[in-house]
Amino acid sequence: MSEGYVLKGNLLYSTSPEQMVSVPNGFLVCQEGKVAGAFPALPECYKNLPLVDYGDRLIIPGLVDLHLHAPQYAFRGIGMDMELLDWLETHVFPEEAKYKDLEYARKAYSIFASDLAASATTRACIFATIHRPATLLLMELLEETRGVKALVGKVNMDRNSPAFLCEESAQRSLEETALWIEQGRGRFQHVGMVLTPRFTPSCTAPLMKGLGRLQKETGLPVQSHLSENLSEIEWVRELCPGASSYGETYYQAGLLGGEGCPTIMAHCVHSSEQEMALLKKQGVYLALCAQSNTNLRSGIAPVRAYMEQGMNLGLGTDVAGGSSLSIFHAMVDAMQSSNLRWRLVDDSWKPLTVKEAFYLGTKGGGSFFGKVGSFEGGYAFDAVVLDDTGLPHPQPLTPEERLERMLYLSDDRQIYAKYLEGYQVFQKGNRTDALPQQN
Amino acid sequence: MSEGYVLKGNLLYSTSPEQMVSVPNGFLVCQEGKVAGAFPALPECYKNLPLVDYGDRLIIPGLVDLHLHAPQYAFRGIGMDMELLDWLETHVFPEEAKYKDLEYARKAYSIFASDLAASATTRACIFATIHRPATLLLMELLEETRGVKALVGKVNMDRNSPAFLCEESAQRSLEETALWIEQGRGRFQHVGMVLTPRFTPSCTAPLMKGLGRLQKETGLPVQSHLSENLSEIEWVRELCPGASSYGETYYQAGLLGGEGCPTIMAHCVHSSEQEMALLKKQGVYLALCAQSNTNLRSGIAPVRAYMEQGMNLGLGTDVAGGSSLSIFHAMVDAMQSSNLRWRLVDDSWKPLTVKEAFYLGTKGGGSFFGKVGSFEGGYAFDAVVLDDTGLPHPQPLTPEERLERMLYLSDDRQIYAKYLEGYQVFQKGNRTDALPQQN
């Protein structure tokens, strides 16, 4: 590993929302877990490195999922016929309550971790439940299964939640969170922690403030939900009359970005101009979850407007508001939603292109983790090898066209191999490619 | 076969848009290619029939695809970043022109026919191209591959089309169509013919009128496109100033339903009230293609309004405006689009439910073929056996929930066996179940 190695294949990666680089039959050089470069011809200085030839397959940066709920994976694709708040009461809360039982949690999270490992995702920000032991178990399973580098959050909820899924007080919630951090921090190589107030309606002001203090003490990142649904926003307005926007309820607690507080807010479908300005000022990452926003009848986020304002943007599957773990599908969902927004709401904002959607699902969201999501020099060596031979076509296709097809047509069968920070973490059929494997 | 047989499994089928019948561990009796009944306990009179026990698997009516383009399957999932008319010029017409070459057509249509056979679809209405020999080849391949009962149309185009994909005159187009009918009619057991003017912009009035005469002579059904895209509608208005609606351009030629002229019109996203009234009066079937209407930025059809008016409705994948052959996915697309229409356009029309979407993709569209798409007595014995063991879940699920998941999560791996008019036409891994096989 110290000397590095080379992967050969059709390389494709974004450098900006508008620009996708294609290097047919190119050479991707890994050194010390980072990309040394993507070359059309292998430079002399790398010619002694071991090389894995992936032939005509595509090689792309690992995909980045900025928002999903591990405990909801169990019921993905069921009960998608209501709006957010009813859906939470009817489907989400009863299911999440089951994770008090570690046996159940092991069964459910094992399925989730294994499917996530077999996907094209290499980085993920994940909600667990309020349960400390089950959340630690999820982290263990993700570490064992490998395949992704994840941030996992024990959820905080101390109000407006059913008794079976409500922490008894702000203080107890904070104590459990502190204990969770003590028990989990630094324990895993691939799994980190993220503070996770569920959303303002289920967190009292003392809990939010306490989490803000914890954030300052620990420097942990933050994830939550923001301005997803109109009824939710109205509810927050009633609950927090002192805040000028939903976003400000997090801001007041020190949980909305800014120096030393990397933050992801999921959705932002209905953010006001004032809220958008605050999010921008604080450098908050928006996790765009188009499929969920469609399934739960929330609406369509103004992604083009966010892009033009230079917001930090990435994609989320929002399982189980979204039914699929695939960020490829999330790219399509983002494009499709932008099409309908253009047609039905405001034709001054152009629909997203394939290049833009691919950027959002790789380098866009990846930048939350630093230099992640591209094959430019110095980026983390997170790579996915795609085999599309199972989807035959009668005509020749360019690598770009083959990648575009993957967005629409791929499932786990096309995920051939996966590399995370230079280590091969997944190989279809458990073949090994005689490359450095992680201990 | 004459005595019939029994399938055992979890039966699920629609009787109306609102009602889905579930018969857990039920018995589905086939006699003479028709459903004799779906029973919770096997009636005495059927106890001597051979029985195939599908265990805990789901058994549903075969799905019905009222609109798709076989030659476009090759480029599904590519070039979905423009509106209809540009997309036709850029992607569709150049690809369809290739089907003049029978070698290319064989390569492409073989992939299509094989994938369609492995899907949950048992009935399909298919556009080919203007090329008679390639259209006959497609029919042969569908017949050989089995797995669906299809109507296939040689497309008519004699104006506003690029020279490489335009028939030289109305007369030549009609002659070729007549010859195609002569060569193909009655030749296949599972593949029938359907008259297929592409759409008004690409058919002169003499061609339309000639096809109307041919329809009367032959009694063949008709399929075409209607009111999909705003620019298209405007163009038709310019081309046909004597017609009070786009729909009337077909009506004037005798190609829009009515006694003896079963007709499918795809899309109807932007039909006026007048056009809707005409479609209803003529008993025209609307093929709803939500994914295509999203990909090509056409808009969202007012499906709820159509349902409340008692229109004849079914679903179409519209490959390659839609990227997937799956009518399960088309059900989800229809629900998702109706969610966004409710949120963004008109909240007086409620979103579609799972039951309604399932109905549209089975009995709704199936009724175009007669008693097709349900397990009520007397219906054609078109059945699909689904195996969802590859999608594990930690909690118990009802058969209804498992079916709902199939809409969102299934791909060809869940299609375990397929029956068409009482014959088993597909079995995963080519196992046989010692049931009547077709010669």
Side-chain angles (χ1 to χ4, degrees), chain A residues 1 17 66 95 98 162 200 233 254 270 305 325 372 385 393 424 430:
Chain A
M1 167 87 173
L66 286 188
E95 177 67 23
K98 297 180 190 168
T200 300
I233 294 169
H270 302 285
L325 272 182
V372 167
V385 183
H393 47 92
Q424 188 178 0
N430 290 321

Side-chain angles (χ1 to χ4, degrees), chain A residues 169-236:
Chain A
S169 66
Q171 194 185 331
R172 281 293 297 141
S173 178
L174 291 166
E175 285 166 5
E176 278 291 290
T177 306
L179 185 54
W180 167 67
I181 294 170
E182 191 187 313
Q183 294 178 331
R185 199 159 196 201
R187 191 168 135 199
F188 305 106
Q189 186 172 359
H190 286 312
V191 185
M193 311 184 101
V194 49
L195 294 174
T196 307
R198 177 166 218 122
F199 66 159
T200 300
S202 54
C203 298
T204 60
L207 175 54
M208 291 279 245
K209 286 222 159 64
L211 288 172
R213 282 192 302 273
L214 208 48
Q215 198 285 318
K216 278 216 168 42
E217 289 163 30
T218 60
L220 287 178
V222 175
Q223 62 181 355
S224 194
H225 298 94
L226 180 60
S227 296
E228 173 177 1
N229 168 285
L230 294 171
S231 307
E232 170 210 21
I233 294 169
E234 185 53 37
W235 193 15
V236 171

Side-chain angles (χ1 to χ4, degrees), chain A residues 72-107:
Chain A
Q72 297 176 18
Y73 190 64
F75 65 89
R76 68 198 188 284
I78 297 174
M80 307 265 68
D81 55 354
M82 45 190 83
E83 281 194 84
L84 175 68
L85 300 178
D86 290 337
W87 179 71
L88 289 172
E89 293 288 336
T90 311
H91 293 285
V92 176
F93 293 159
E95 177 67 23
E96 289 197 8
K98 297 180 190 168
Y99 290 75
K100 190 178 175 185
D101 172 1
L102 269 181
E103 273 315 291
Y104 185 82
R106 178 176 297 279
K107 201 161 139 188

Side-chain angles (χ1 to χ4, degrees), chain A residues 74 77 79-80 83 104 107 230 294-295 297-298 323 336 339 342-343 394-395 404 408-409 411-413, chain B residues 74 77 79-80 83 104 107 230 294-295 297-298 323 336 339 342-343 394-395 404 408-409 411-413:
Chain A
M80 307 265 68
E83 281 194 84
Y104 185 82
K107 201 161 139 188
L230 294 171
T294 296
N295 285 333
R297 306 172 183 174
S298 303
S323 60
Q336 290 179 333
N339 284 346
W342 172 82
R343 166 60 68 210
Q395 79 280 47
E404 189 176 350
Y408 290 86
L409 308 181
D411 55 44
D412 53 287
R413 286 172 285 191
Chain B
M80 307 263 68
E83 281 194 83
Y104 185 83
K107 202 161 139 188
L230 295 171
T294 296
N295 284 334
R297 306 172 182 173
S298 302
S323 61
Q336 291 179 333
N339 284 346
W342 172 83
R343 166 61 68 210
Q395 80 281 44
E404 190 176 349
Y408 290 87
L409 308 181
D411 56 44
D412 53 288
R413 287 171 285 191

Side-chain angles (χ1 to χ4, degrees), chain A residues 247-270:
Chain A
E248 205 179 271
T249 63
Y250 298 106
Y251 180 73
Q252 290 170 345
L255 292 169
L256 194 79
E259 187 65 27
C261 181
T263 298
I264 296 169
M265 285 288 157
H267 305 301
C268 300
V269 176
H270 302 285

Side-chain angles (χ1 to χ4, degrees), chain A residues 32-35 60-68 112 116-127 142 146-152 189-192 223 264 287 314-318 325-328 331 360-375 378-384 418-423 425 438:
Chain A
E32 295 181 356
K34 296 199 190 314
V35 175
I60 62 167
L63 308 188
V64 179
D65 190 342
L66 286 188
H67 184 65
L68 77 165
F112 168 76
L116 187 60
S119 78
T121 298
T122 48
R123 307 273 176 155
C125 298
I126 301 173
F127 279 55
L142 288 167
R146 303 191 305 163
V148 291
K149 195 160 173 109
L151 292 174
V152 171
Q189 186 172 359
H190 286 312
V191 185
Q223 62 181 355
I264 296 169
L315 302 181
T317 58
D318 193 26
L325 272 182
S326 167
I327 286 290
F328 283 135
M331 294 174 190
L360 290 174
T362 54
K363 191 176 177 182
S367 64
F368 182 77
F369 299 90
K371 284 188 148 190
V372 167
S374 182
F375 287 157
Y379 270 67
F381 197 92
D382 293 0
V384 172
K418 193 152 83 164
Y419 293 81
L420 191 54
E421 295 185 322
Y423 288 102
V425 291
Q438 193 166 26

Side-chain angles (χ1 to χ4, degrees), chain A residues 73-81 83 91 95 98-99 104 107-108 111 115 229-231 270 291 293-300 323-324 332-333 335-337 339-345 351-354 391-397 401-402 404-406 408-409 411-413, chain B residues 73-81 83 91 95 98-99 104 107-108 111 115 229-231 270 291 293-300 323-324 332-333 335-337 339-345 351-354 391-397 401-402 404-406 408-409 411-413:
Chain A
Y73 190 64
F75 65 89
R76 68 198 188 284
I78 297 174
M80 307 265 68
D81 55 354
E83 281 194 84
H91 293 285
E95 177 67 23
K98 297 180 190 168
Y99 290 75
Y104 185 82
K107 201 161 139 188
I111 297 170
D115 286 359
N229 168 285
L230 294 171
S231 307
H270 302 285
Q291 194 197 128
N293 301 154
T294 296
N295 285 333
L296 298 175
R297 306 172 183 174
S298 303
I300 303 176
S323 60
S324 166
V332 172
D333 296 329
M335 286 188 283
Q336 290 179 333
S337 282
N339 284 346
L340 289 176
R341 195 172 199 286
W342 172 82
R343 166 60 68 210
L344 301 173
V345 181
L352 292 187
T353 64
V354 172
L391 296 164
H393 47 92
Q395 79 280 47
L397 294 176
E401 287 170 328
R402 289 167 59 198
E404 189 176 350
R405 260 170 34 120
M406 289 298 91
Y408 290 86
L409 308 181
D411 55 44
D412 53 287
R413 286 172 285 191
Chain B
Y73 190 64
F75 65 90
R76 68 199 189 282
I78 297 174
M80 307 263 68
D81 55 353
E83 281 194 83
H91 294 285
E95 177 67 22
K98 297 180 190 169
Y99 290 75
Y104 185 83
K107 202 161 139 188
I111 297 171
D115 286 359
N229 168 286
L230 295 171
S231 306
H270 302 285
Q291 195 198 128
N293 301 155
T294 296
N295 284 334
L296 297 176
R297 306 172 182 173
S298 302
I300 303 177
S323 61
S324 166
V332 172
D333 297 328
M335 287 189 284
Q336 291 179 333
S337 281
N339 284 346
L340 290 176
R341 196 173 200 284
W342 172 83
R343 166 61 68 210
L344 301 174
V345 181
L352 292 188
T353 65
V354 172
L391 296 164
H393 47 92
Q395 80 281 44
L397 294 176
E401 288 170 328
R402 289 167 59 199
E404 190 176 349
R405 262 171 30 122
M406 289 298 91
Y408 290 87
L409 308 181
D411 56 44
D412 53 288
R413 287 171 285 191

Side-chain angles (χ1 to χ4, degrees), chain A residues 137-157:
Chain A
L137 175 64
L138 171 61
M139 295 166 75
E140 279 168 29
L141 290 168
L142 288 167
E143 177 84 358
E144 276 170 29
T145 319
R146 303 191 305 163
V148 291
K149 195 160 173 109
L151 292 174
V152 171
K154 180 203 121 24
V155 172
N156 299 96
M157 304 166 73

